Amino acid sequence: ADGEIRLVDVGLAGDEVFLSHKSYGFIDRIQEQVEEDRRQPRDRTRRLLAYYRTAVRGVCTTPPTPYSVEVDGVAVADDAVLVTVANVETYRDFLPLTPRASPIDGRFDVFVIPRTSKLGLAWRLFRLKLRLPGRWNGVALHRGRTVVVGHAGVRERLQVVRRALPLLLPPGSVAALERRQVEEEGPVETPA
């Protein structure tokens, strides 16, 4: 009741509206497997263990699928094995891929891991999870209003819809979002 109602941005992917993120490749497959038929554990610790167990198994058994990525009309990857398009901080403490993403800036943050071996993928995710030095090496973070992700001849266009959803934000969150956008957390490349 003490918060502030603020119109926030949403993403549009075809007919699907999303507030948080849309992922492709490795992380999307892990999430689908754990959440299949809504069988994921309700207990937070058991749920996290299910994601970790599935991820470890997936790194060993799942061949990487290549995705092409364009941000604001500029090709940024031809063969990405993991893509996350977000307008909020993705996976928070679990796996911070888009630490400066914001639902009030009119842009997506686009996290990309280009083609790498299974071990390279696991190493990059491990460094990001533990926030190790050099964690942004071998990955890319872009920012833009329109993103096109392609795979096997199918291209999905995602775009930001400005100020489309009214949300009640807790006191101080708008200022925190604005501060987070300027804090140095990783390299952001903005095409065009």
Side-chain angles (χ1 to χ4, degrees):
D2 296 333
E4 172 185 349
I5 293 181
R6 179 80 180 244
L7 288 173
V8 297
D9 307 335
V10 296
L12 184 61
D15 294 338
E16 178 188 349
V17 174
F18 63 95
L19 173 62
S20 57
H21 75 280
K22 187 154 175 64
S23 292
Y24 303 84
F26 181 74
I27 284 193
D28 185 47
R29 286 194 301 272
I30 300 308
Q31 190 169 344
E32 284 177 2
Q33 287 175 11
V34 173
E35 297 172 3
E36 185 178 47
D37 299 327
R38 299 179 183 232
R39 292 182 303 188
Q40 70 194 48
R42 292 183 191 264
D43 175 68
R44 177 175 164 74
T45 303
R46 289 186 30 212
R47 188 171 58 247
L48 287 175
L49 286 173
Y51 282 110
Y52 286 125
R53 185 175 50 252
T54 305
V56 168
R57 207 174 324 131
V59 164
C60 297
T61 61
T62 307
T65 304
Y67 288 85
S68 62
V69 183
E70 294 176 15
V71 178
D72 290 340
V74 176
V76 298
D78 296 336
D79 53 4
V81 294
L82 189 154
V83 179
T84 295
V85 180
N87 61 356
V88 298
E89 184 181 2
T90 314
Y91 305 117
R92 290 217 118 153
D93 295 330
F94 178 64
L95 187 62
L97 303 179
T98 56
R100 289 189 279 172
S102 170
I104 62 171
D105 69 355
R107 296 177 294 175
F108 288 126
D109 279 28
V110 183
F111 176 86
V112 176
I113 295 182
R115 182 195 325 241
T116 186
S117 66
K118 291 178 183 182
L119 183 60
L121 173 64
W123 177 240
R124 284 165 178 81
L125 293 173
F126 180 75
R127 285 189 315 193
L128 286 159
K129 168 62 182 154
L130 297 181
R131 292 183 166 95
L132 296 176
R135 66 186 171 272
W136 297 106
N137 296 336
V139 303
L141 196 56
H142 304 275
R143 191 170 279 155
R145 289 174 169 59
T146 303
V147 179
V148 178
V149 178
H151 167 66
V154 177
R155 294 166 46 94
E156 183 168 46
R157 184 173 191 271
L158 299 93
Q159 64 187 38
V160 173
V161 180
R162 293 283 296 166
R163 298 180 182 95
L165 180 68
L167 281 183
L168 177 62
L169 301 175
S173 17
V174 173
L177 283 171
E178 290 168 349
R179 267 193 319 276
R180 192 174 71 214
Q181 288 176 289
V182 297
E183 292 173 357
E184 289 301 316
E185 176 59 42
V188 175
E189 302 170 25
T190 305

